[in-house]
Amino acid sequence: MSEIKEAKAQRVERLKREKNAWEHFDEIRAFARRGHASIPPEWLGTYFRSWGVYTQGDGAGVVGGKNGEGKATPFFMVRIRIPNGLLSSQQARTIADLAERHARGVADITVRQNVQLHWVTIESLPEVLEALWRAGLTTTGACGDVARNITGCPLAGFDAHEYCDASPLALELNGQLSGNAEFYNLPRKFKVSITGCRSWCTYPEINDVGLTAVTRKRSRGDEVGFSLRVAGGLSTEPHLGVRLNAFVRWEQAVPVVRGVAELFRESEVLRQNRERARLKFLFLQHGWTADSFLAALQARLGFALDPAEPEELPSDIHRDHVGIHAQKQQGFSYVGANVLRGRITPGQLRTAANLSDRYADGQLRNTIMQNLLIVNVPNEHAARVAGELTAAGLPVRASAFARGTVACTGSEFCKLALTETKSFARWLTEELDQRLPGFQEQLKLHITGCPNSCGQHWIADIGIEGKKLKVDGRMVDAYYFCVGGSVGEFASIARPVGFRCAASEVPDAIERLLREFNEQRLPGENLRRFFARHSNEQIRGWLAGEFVAPVERDAAAGPVPLGVEG
């Protein structure tokens, strides 16, 4: 009889059943003593992920390998979990030290408020993990088929207009889900956002669970609770979260999120295909609805949730928190610095930590726009803090292009990427600043190196997706354009417009498009509305500078079984 070959999904599920890698730090120590050659494939491909550790690519991205993944090097990307983006000055110094000693000075703030290191060797890995633990940080659950970092408003407790400070719930959820063996073996990644702010700066619509604060009238006064959305996610098949007819009281928030995680964990149908294993596929492929999901959730909880309350959806606004802004604490401000493309140096981390200690109370915040905030700055010191951050290369007043640009890891380190993104993002913003000086429109310009959308191009005003294109007989980095993505009141997935060009031509294309916007916009019209009233053919013509036939948004070079978004 011929041997039945184990499918990739079956292999991963078997490995997760056989071992909870969180219980085997001793094996990581042994690998460190014996060297990289001693690491078995199951650790490199599966077990390290739940520790927040990925194998690092060789710079060529997916095109240098096979089966949808590029070649791995003997180095690792290590993602540090920062729940709700809450970071102390001492923790920032620890990360700076580790980046300097073990990561060649490279640290990236991710789109889930994490910090990611690169170039870490297996010999260094135990030391890195232990140093993080001593600082009250962990990498556990920052990657893998587990509950990822819990995101929340970085201004929780400081925002003058927030419904509530939801960070205690985010931290409680983090404690219950991170490193908990009950949630070690999920079908795929599980993302949670909880916010008490009015601007939804954590993009709850693209999370598996999104809790957003609302109020309802009661005889004893207003009660703060949460709206509940489930099954959001981007990647190759974007899906905005579905709002359930439920008002979640404060004390119900943690049980509700756990309940959703348990429903996800026990869904065997989602374990059959790694590319169709996210919670959203219950809705996209298996016939679930808001009503059926709510019924299943309430059956698991053992109690009914009250009907949903009306909610106020945030409109078109920047959510990056860059600049000097008043807190609700009288006499204090927060200072938000732009970290272009999320890349930050050890020196910049130390500068921010020192400023926070000198002029504030030692609290920093990461944002999902890959920026860094110092909170609780007395008003009289805010300008000085802003000036010193700017002098360190972390501008507090940044151009529309620098403020609005987000970039994924790219082929520099990621094995799944088709294009390099970080250096490209810096070059692109510099080019646009020179070509369109003084451009003031709020703009979200998101760059992702492959169809996985780790750079979240599906919710950007202008989202560009990495491709490869043959030019003069050789393959070069290229980008495919999507426009009109949004979250909040006008939530929608960006629409592909059928235009692709070499990376070197992207500034020309965006310049042409934005010049048309400046010339043809209606009074008070923003980019989202402008794109909505023009056809793909018109937008494609402006991008190209002439009429061009549409091109298909081609698929990835191969299967993409495990995305690495932050």
Side-chain angles (χ1 to χ4, degrees):
M1 293 180 61
S2 60
E3 183 179 349
I4 298 175
K5 186 176 181 180
E6 188 177 43
K8 184 174 291 187
Q10 294 171 322
R11 180 176 185 273
V12 173
E13 291 301 317
R14 173 177 59 79
L15 290 173
K16 289 187 296 180
R17 288 193 304 269
E18 290 175 354
K19 179 184 293 186
N20 179 343
W22 290 335
E23 299 171 352
H24 294 276
F25 183 59
D26 57 327
E27 293 191 45
I28 296 178
R29 284 184 176 280
F31 302 148
R33 289 193 303 270
R34 298 169 188 161
H36 191 274
S38 69
I39 307 173
E42 60 266 26
W43 270 90
L44 292 172
T46 301
Y47 292 139
F48 269 135
R49 298 179 191 272
S50 59
W51 278 95
V53 176
Y54 280 107
T55 53
Q56 183 170 299
D58 63 356
V62 68
V63 296
K66 58 183 180 179
N67 298 323
E69 288 196 18
K71 294 178 182 177
T73 64
F75 299 97
F76 296 98
M77 302 187 290
V78 177
R79 187 175 298 151
I80 304 165
R81 191 180 181 110
I82 315 288
N84 210 107
L86 309 181
L87 192 65
S88 73
S89 58
Q90 190 52 49
Q91 288 172 333
R93 288 191 191 90
T94 295
I95 294 172
D97 291 345
L98 292 173
E100 197 165 65
R101 288 164 42 216
H102 300 291
R104 300 189 186 180
V106 177
D108 291 334
I109 300 173
T110 79
V111 293
R112 290 197 67 79
Q113 299 178 297
N114 298 302
V115 175
Q116 189 163 285
L117 305 179
H118 303 279
W119 296 111
V120 177
T121 65
I122 188 59
E123 290 80 6
S124 295
L125 186 57
E127 182 180 346
V128 169
L129 297 178
E130 289 172 331
L132 291 170
W133 297 338
R134 289 192 296 270
L137 296 168
T138 185
T139 65
T140 303
C143 310
D145 296 349
V146 294
R148 301 291 184 89
N149 192 42
I150 312 295
T151 61
C153 177
L155 293 176
F158 304 113
D159 179 6
H161 304 291
E162 68 184 358
Y163 288 107
C164 64
D165 174 3
S167 61
L169 289 176
L171 295 177
E172 184 178 352
L173 278 166
N174 184 71
Q176 292 209 19
L177 299 178
S178 174
N180 184 346
E182 292 181 57
F183 302 103
Y184 171 76
N185 181 10
L186 301 179
R188 280 295 303 275
K189 68 193 79 169
F190 182 73
K191 298 180 178 180
V192 178
S193 169
I194 180 167
T195 184
C197 75
R198 295 176 185 268
S199 65
W200 296 12
C201 63
T202 58
Y203 305 155
E205 305 97 322
I206 61 171
N207 282 260
D208 294 285
V209 184
L211 290 171
T212 52
V214 293
T215 59
R216 65 178 178 179
K217 300 292 184 182
R218 283 292 180 263
S219 59
R220 298 183 299 277
D222 289 351
E223 178 188 5
V224 176
F226 298 92
S227 286
L228 172 61
R229 284 173 172 78
V230 298
L234 296 180
S235 193
T236 55
E237 297 183 58
H239 183 254
L240 295 175
V242 176
R243 190 184 186 212
L244 304 187
N245 184 22
F247 176 87
V248 179
R249 299 200 304 269
W250 180 278
E251 66 274 13
Q252 294 173 330
V254 172
V256 162
V257 175
R258 283 185 60 110
V260 177
E262 289 166 357
L263 285 175
F264 181 47
R265 181 188 63 200
E266 294 169 15
S267 177
E268 289 300 323
V269 70
L270 294 178
R271 295 182 185 271
Q272 307 307 311
N273 185 327
R274 297 288 293 167
E275 287 76 49
R276 300 289 184 272
R278 292 290 301 278
L279 190 65
K280 65 185 178 182
F281 287 103
L282 291 180
F283 292 82
L284 289 172
Q285 290 194 330
H286 301 293
W288 286 54
T289 65
D291 289 341
S292 64
F293 195 101
L294 180 60
L297 175 61
Q298 291 181 139
R300 171 160 289 280
L301 292 172
F303 58 82
L305 297 169
D306 292 342
E309 294 289 326
E311 60 180 2
E312 183 179 345
L313 299 171
S315 59
D316 296 317
I317 53 173
H318 258 315
R319 307 180 187 187
D320 61 0
H321 304 302
V322 169
I324 300 174
H325 302 277
Q327 295 179 185
K328 66 180 176 183
Q329 292 81 9
Q330 189 171 2
F332 291 86
S333 296
Y334 72 87
V335 181
N338 178 243
V339 184
L340 181 61
R341 68 226 169 100
R343 180 146 295 173
I344 193 165
T345 68
Q348 289 170 331
L349 278 169
R350 292 192 186 103
T351 293
N354 293 341
L355 288 171
S356 182
D357 284 340
R358 191 183 317 148
Y359 297 110
D361 62 354
Q363 295 189 66
L364 306 171
R365 298 289 186 270
N366 290 342
T367 82
I368 66 165
M369 285 288 286
Q370 301 176 306
N371 295 320
L372 186 67
L373 318 180
I374 298 177
V375 298
N376 278 338
V377 180
N379 290 343
E380 62 268 25
H381 297 314
R384 176 172 293 180
V385 170
E388 294 196 32
L389 285 170
T390 300
L394 299 171
V396 173
R397 296 186 63 183
S399 72
F401 301 114
R403 285 186 66 172
T405 296
V406 165
C408 73
T409 298
S411 60
E412 180 184 13
F413 299 120
C414 177
K415 298 183 299 179
L416 305 182
L418 288 158
T419 59
E420 192 281 324
T421 58
K422 295 293 191 182
S423 295
F424 173 76
R426 181 175 60 187
W427 172 73
L428 176 59
T429 56
E430 290 172 352
E431 283 287 317
L432 293 174
D433 282 336
Q434 292 177 12
R435 295 164 184 239
L436 297 163
F439 184 85
Q440 293 298 318
E441 179 66 22
Q442 293 187 2
L443 168 75
K444 284 171 60 65
L445 173 58
H446 287 217
I447 304 165
T448 190
C450 78
N452 280 321
S453 193
C454 301
Q456 301 177 337
H457 69 296
W458 290 120
I459 56 170
D461 294 302
I462 302 174
I464 56 176
E465 179 185 298
K467 304 293 179 186
K468 286 295 185 185
L469 193 63
K470 183 171 283 189
V471 177
D472 296 330
R474 66 186 185 92
M475 300 301 291
V476 300
D477 283 4
Y479 284 95
Y480 186 92
F481 281 74
C482 303
V483 303
S486 186
V487 285
E489 183 179 3
F490 305 102
S492 61
I493 298 300
R495 72 183 203 258
V497 296
F499 178 73
R500 178 179 57 201
C501 67
S504 59
E505 299 171 3
V506 168
D508 296 334
I510 294 178
E511 179 187 4
R512 286 190 289 262
L513 179 63
L514 295 182
R515 287 195 184 279
E516 291 291 338
F517 167 71
N518 282 336
E519 291 173 8
Q520 298 195 33
R521 67 187 298 189
L522 301 176
E525 187 174 46
N526 61 16
L527 277 165
R528 181 190 56 77
R529 295 189 184 100
F530 178 78
F531 291 146
R533 70 179 178 89
H534 288 96
S535 69
N536 286 352
E537 183 179 64
Q538 289 173 302
I539 293 170
R540 190 167 61 246
W542 293 329
L543 287 165
E546 60 183 354
F547 172 80
V548 291
V551 296
E552 292 294 323
R553 175 183 165 261
D554 50 8
V560 281
L562 288 164
V564 296
E565 68 272 22

